[in-house]
Amino acid sequence: MVARLVGSSVARVEDPRILTGRGHYLDDVRLPGMLHAAFVRSPFPHAAVLGIDVTEALQVPGVRAVITIDDLDRVAGPLVPAGPPDLLVAPFPALARDRVRLVGDPVAVVLADSRAEAEDGVEAVEVDYDPLPGVGDMDDVLAGGTELVFPELGDNVLHRSTHRYGDTDAAFATAHRVVSARLDQHRHANVPMECRGIVAAFDPAAGTLEVQAAHQSPHALRMHLADVLGIPAHAVRVRCGDIGGSFGQKFGLSHEEVAIAGASVLVGRPVKWIEDRSENLMVGGQAREERVDVEAAVDPEGRILGLRVRMVMDQGAYPKVGYPATGYLSIVRALLPAAYRIDDIDFESVIVASNKATYVPYRGPWEIETWARERLLDLVARELGIDPVDVRERNLLTSADFPRASATGVELLGFDPRRTFDDTVDLLDLDAFRARQAAARAEGRLVGIGLANVVEPAPVTPSLIRAMGIMAAPRTVQEARARLELDGSVTVFTSQMPHGQSHETTLAQLTADQLGVGIDRVRVVHGDTRDTPFNLVGTGGSRAATLASGAVVGVARRVRDRVLEVASQLMEIDPADLDLVDGSVVARGAPGVSTPLAEIGRLAWVRPGLANADGRPGIEETATFDSAEGTWSVATHACEVEIDPETGLVRVDRYVVVGDCGAVINPAVVDGQVRGGVVQGIGAVLLERSAYDREAQFLSSTFMDHLLPTALDVPRIEVHHVHHEPTDEINFRGVGEGGAIGAPAALTSAIEDALAHLGVRVTEQFLPPVRILELIDAATGA
Amino acid sequence: MKPAPFAYVAPDSVEGVVGALVEAGDDAKVLAGGQSLLPLMALRLGRPSVLVDVGRVDGLDRVEVVGDDLVVGATVTHARLGRDPEVARVAPLLAEVAPFVAHAAVRNRGTLGGSLAHNDPAAEWPAVALLLDVVVTVQGPTGAREIAAADLFESYLTTTIEPDEVLTAVRVPGLGPRGGAAFDEVSRRAGDFALVGAGARVTLDDDGAVASAAVSFLGVGSTAVLDATVGADLAGRPPDEAAIDEVARAAAARLDPHDDLHATAAYRRRLAATLARRTLTTAVARASAEVAS
Amino acid sequence: MSATEPRTELDVAVEVNGEPRRARVEARRSLAELLRDDLELTGTHLGCEHGVCGSCTVLLDGVPVRSCLMLAVQAEGRSVVTVEGLADGDRLHPVQQGCLERHSFQCGFCTPGILLTAAALLDAQPEPDEAAVREAISGNICRCTGYESIVDGILRAAEIAREAADGHAGEGA
């Protein structure tokens, strides 16, 4: 069949409602009798809670109830994080029992007739705190003696492990030189434009809990809530409508979700909590606070012979239920060599606790593997006086190396990193840039160029899962269900939970092409645990393009086969001689002989025995799809910057991405994902920081403190595609994360390039203007 | 993020506003554009018990030319200052500064008068008011009085306007012959509160030497700062690059800026020197153009 | 609203999307809350409630304002246009059509504020260049798109509006 929709920028199915103000986001939910919740939150990073007095709060006009852990204990158990045996984790209550562990830690919930009145009530709750020393610095934790965040765990160092690949000692013994660096990445956050939230409606008569939420994984939320609240799963339903972005944040199970659902159970009324922006910046979830100490053994040409790496992450106070902290390090470890020939690696992993917000996955949670590696390559280049582009070229794998098992055991196939790299270098016209750079320097101007190579598992492959050491069964398999309706239209049920990714469009494109119908004859249903196939991840991990697409194509084909079987009975023509074209089943070679899909749909449902031998009515099928090796989405990022030597302001003048994400379902959607990710990565370097002081007092709880890029802060992002030979028929690969992974590396590379002649070496990712000038001063002795 | 409860009244006269302020006592606040006050209240960092809205008072939205001066009513918005031809003619620096204030949607509501009365040390208008020797008119229970900018800004978010007084007008003197002024600022992003901003004003004598000069700064402490020493240091000298650079550095060295999340004191002092130099250079060029014409 | 005594609850009358609307509100209620909660026009989104993100932008007497930074009672007697009021029946406003054609948005949360800001821009400046568009929307934060598709959508909207003004159909390709 000729593909009609896949491959073209079909207009988004979501847009007619989104562009007219008729989307349905969580804060738009209104239920009869609904109360509004606001949280009493700790102002201290760390404190004992000696007492909570709600008497005065209950007198505040509009306040209906104040719920503390003593109340919640009657209906909810603790949140129980999981993890491997070598990770220290402890269960914790949804509201503080005797201790608060971060600024914003929830202590009580006030329920009122309006949110404003609930906030009035919050101000009237008296909490008696006895402050404890706050832990806000990983070096303090590693030095020992910090106040324990969870005394029952006995340590603030929660995990240590070492993995060795190859023979690193031998590699270092032959080294021409050893280049070492401490590379620091700062804590920042996902910051979706819509904050988190939940509306929980417990019906005391029916014993049912109906939850609406802004959440990436409705099935996971349902599973966790049923578990913590002890409500039978058959009585718990979770629905998600339009979601205003997430980038990994609306995931797993949070304190607030348990507290609000529990509050609804306690009062027997619907309860709504919409996180406000300060709460979101404070406790919505943060990421990326990681350090890599690296030593590289190199030969005289800048080839990496071996690496010794120690990675430390500050996971904050509470672990995320649904994502063990070791997962952040193990994927960095497994992916570190990526597209480069690095065979000997020692990798030490350390996780520390602090009095900071919960770590959540943020768009490409392993991003530091790219940033640290690309930073290292630049530092090697500077040390040896070789152009950074040449150092990359010398270390990159070539097509002759494929397929290949990386040192860490990851099967690499289905791409050629030299293609995106070479195309990028050509686009940059490097010689001309170096000439411009020399001329600019002569005028006292600072311009630079930077590159980075990204290999994104999109989705994770079986060998990557093995390399990460996840012992549980891979959770990659996806199911889709599809139903031919009475009128020949089609409903597709996906386990994806889109929040900006346009799956209502892309999955409909795939279905429509398989069934020979227009996109308006297909509806993609998501977000209701009562209807959609089970999946613990929902949307995340750049999984939809391959896994959801594979499942949808598979199920659409089954529907198609069933349609042709039914048509064959009706038309008395062999199915092999039938085709689906423009909404009808037609006889091949005899276009006049046809039966409309609407007729097949109607008869399949209403005529007993037609569709199924066992008498089941209708055509409704399911299919699954699992990941295979080779689903890599690769890209080379490059950017040009100019830095104002007087102010330290960095302007990104050009940004280029050359990527290979396999076949493209909807180019506009793909390019939008890439561009959005790149801009988040630019923001990470220049603007965004979740700031704490050394005692973990939180400093950036408004949008005046936590800055995001605006339309004036970023250039056009040039996106180019190359296509490697497909490894599988389903050759669509994810692109959700690569943009955000490549940009910090390419941008810091360019910044260093602009300043390298002054002696500046960039070993930190956050480079606000004040820091740029400090680096220049330090290098030049000014 | 909702404000604490308060009562609201929108009198239709200045007298009504003053009356409401007197009646409400120290807890009342005047509401003009609300673009600074309302976010503070949403964060519950400010919690007045009564808001007295001046938005319904007739005549406060006027821009008038009185002699060489521009008189701007209390409810005239930043956006209006940025586009009104009379403003551009009589007080061009105001038109030049207006686009630096936040973003268009905020400029459509926020007012010059409100910004002066709010006195945020990172806001543009207090520094500009000091630079241009602006005089504000305030009305209280005993009548109207004038306050020169030099006497207006007391400390962080505090002015010498009494709680029962309302700012009704801002008089901006003309620069006079052979005068030039300029403004510039550095912010993390366009539209953010500046890390540091500076304004400069220069008047030249017939020979092209400096007759008078001043610079003012924002973002360098608890309130905007006027530096008149620059004028004394430059007086009688030709305003060449070296002289400007010298006085700009000296002015920056006299500042006592603060560290915060976005910048260090040292960085602020350095930006102040750069911005003083840039704005003095532009102001001199503009004054020279006046001499030439 | 004509009361001379301060009140904590007031009646407010506002024209919204061309229709007279009334509500009794707390003095502290923002214009955004009036629109969303009292008038059930939930297309206006609250992204920060302190005036920075721009999601709540509406048109007040034709110019963009932050509806989170304005009290409902301050809108007394004024005219407000929200995202629900942009289209003319089934016919999309040029900024809606342009953004549809250019895949401008992803999650849709910042969308209402950007559409209204863009509509005001095109009203004041029918042929903006890219720099003018970026400046105009620089007070509106989008976290999904990197802005390029939005800029392209608004530039396309200007074309659509010109085509319509020239008497051509504005449906576009």
Side-chain angles (χ1 to χ4, degrees), chain A residues 9-10 12 19 25 27-28 30 120 189-191 277 362 500 672 675-676 680 688 703 709 711 714 716-717, chain C residues 28 36-37 42-43 45 47 50 83 96 100 103 105-109 115 130 134 138 143-144 146-148 152:
Chain A
S9 294
V10 171
R12 292 204 326 155
L19 292 167
Y25 298 84
D27 196 18
D28 306 342
R30 278 155 185 69
D120 297 343
N190 321 52
V191 202
R277 184 54 64 187
Y362 175 36
R675 292 192 173 105
Q680 286 182 329
E688 304 178 28
F703 271 163
V714 294
R716 284 194 167 260
I717 315 291
Chain C
R28 63 172 154 175
R36 290 182 49 81
D37 298 335
T42 54
H45 295 158
H50 55 282
V83 66
Q96 293 169 316
L100 178 83
H103 289 70
F105 296 103
Q106 293 177 24
C107 84
F109 201 79
L115 292 176
E130 174 163 351
R134 284 186 183 265
S138 66
R143 190 61 168 160
C144 292
Y147 301 104
E148 185 166 324
D152 289 343

Side-chain angles (χ1 to χ4, degrees), chain C residues 1 14 41 44 46 52 54 65 73 118 137 146 151 156 164 167:
Chain C
M1 264 306 302
V14 190
L41 293 167
T44 299
L46 283 166
V52 185
V65 301
V73 290
I137 63 168
V151 170
R156 172 68 190 132

Side-chain angles (χ1 to χ4, degrees), chain A residues 161 174 297 355 470 510 565 704 716:
Chain A
S161 63
T174 62
N355 295 115
I470 297 173
L510 292 161
E565 283 171 26
M704 277 90 83
R716 284 194 167 260

Side-chain angles (χ1 to χ4, degrees), chain A residues 9-12 14-16 18-25 27-28 30 114 116-117 120 188-195 242-245 247 272 276-278 281 362-363 499-502 666 668-669 671-673 675-677 679-680 683 688 701-704 706 708-712 714-718, chain C residues 26 28-29 33 35-38 40-55 82-87 89 92 95-112 115 130-149 151-152 155:
Chain A
S9 294
V10 171
R12 292 204 326 155
E14 296 86 347
D15 273 348
I18 277 171
L19 292 167
T20 56
R22 290 178 177 83
H24 200 63
Y25 298 84
D27 196 18
D28 306 342
R30 278 155 185 69
S114 71
E117 288 164 324
D120 297 343
H188 51 285
N190 321 52
V191 202
M193 291 318 296
E194 176 201 39
C195 300
D242 287 314
I243 297 175
F247 316 107
K272 179 188 209 176
D276 72 25
R277 184 54 64 187
S278 285
L281 293 173
Y362 175 36
R363 202 170 198 173
H499 40 282
Q501 294 87 347
S502 315
N666 187 315
V669 169
D671 291 354
Q673 287 290 317
R675 292 192 173 105
V679 166
Q680 286 182 329
E688 304 178 28
S701 64
T702 74
F703 271 163
M704 277 90 83
H706 193 115
L708 303 176
T710 74
L712 291 174
V714 294
R716 284 194 167 260
I717 315 291
E718 301 167 39
Chain C
E26 269 196 290
R28 63 172 154 175
R29 208 156 185 73
E33 292 168 321
L35 295 167
R36 290 182 49 81
D37 298 335
D38 298 289
E40 297 185 338
L41 293 167
T42 54
T44 299
H45 295 158
L46 283 166
C48 77
E49 295 183 275
H50 55 282
V52 185
C53 81
S55 296
T82 70
V83 66
E84 290 93 341
L86 269 181
L92 295 178
V95 298
Q96 293 169 316
Q97 183 64 34
C99 289
L100 178 83
E101 292 178 20
R102 292 295 179 265
H103 289 70
S104 292
F105 296 103
Q106 293 177 24
C107 84
F109 201 79
C110 71
T111 303
L115 292 176
E130 174 163 351
V133 172
R134 284 186 183 265
E135 163 68 28
I137 63 168
S138 66
N140 295 77
I141 295 171
C142 164
R143 190 61 168 160
C144 292
T145 65
Y147 301 104
E148 185 166 324
S149 55
V151 170
D152 289 343
L155 291 171

Side-chain angles (χ1 to χ4, degrees), chain A residues 54-76:
Chain A
V54 305
T55 324
E56 204 177 311
L58 288 168
Q59 305 306 311
V60 169
V63 170
R64 301 293 168 183
V66 182
I67 287 160
T68 67
I69 188 62
D70 290 340
D71 307 303
L72 200 60
D73 274 343
R74 291 194 276 124
V75 296

Side-chain angles (χ1 to χ4, degrees), chain A residues 359-377:
Chain A
Y359 224 74
V360 294
Y362 175 36
R363 202 170 198 173
W366 60 90
E367 170 274 345
I368 199 168
E369 94 8 87
T370 293
W371 181 69
R373 186 188 58 245
E374 301 292 324
R375 217 56 323 279
L376 176 68
L377 291 166

Side-chain angles (χ1 to χ4, degrees), chain A residues 141-223:
Chain A
V141 175
L142 295 172
T146 47
E147 187 75 23
L148 292 177
V149 176
F150 281 91
E152 58 267 48
L153 296 178
D155 202 337
N156 281 339
V157 176
L158 305 176
H159 169 84
R160 276 184 198 275
S161 63
T162 301
H163 290 73
R164 298 181 201 282
Y165 305 99
D167 187 346
T168 308
D169 291 342
F172 274 75
T174 62
H176 162 67
R177 207 174 288 189
V178 174
V179 176
S180 44
R182 164 161 288 186
L183 301 170
D184 277 307
Q185 181 171 269
H186 59 296
R187 186 171 269 255
H188 51 285
N190 321 52
V191 202
M193 291 318 296
E194 176 201 39
C195 300
R196 299 179 302 151
I198 180 170
V199 178
F202 182 71
D203 180 337
T208 54
L209 178 67
E210 294 259 350
V211 170
Q212 299 187 64
H215 202 283
Q216 288 175 237
S217 318
H219 282 286
L221 182 59
R222 172 174 178 262
M223 178 184 81

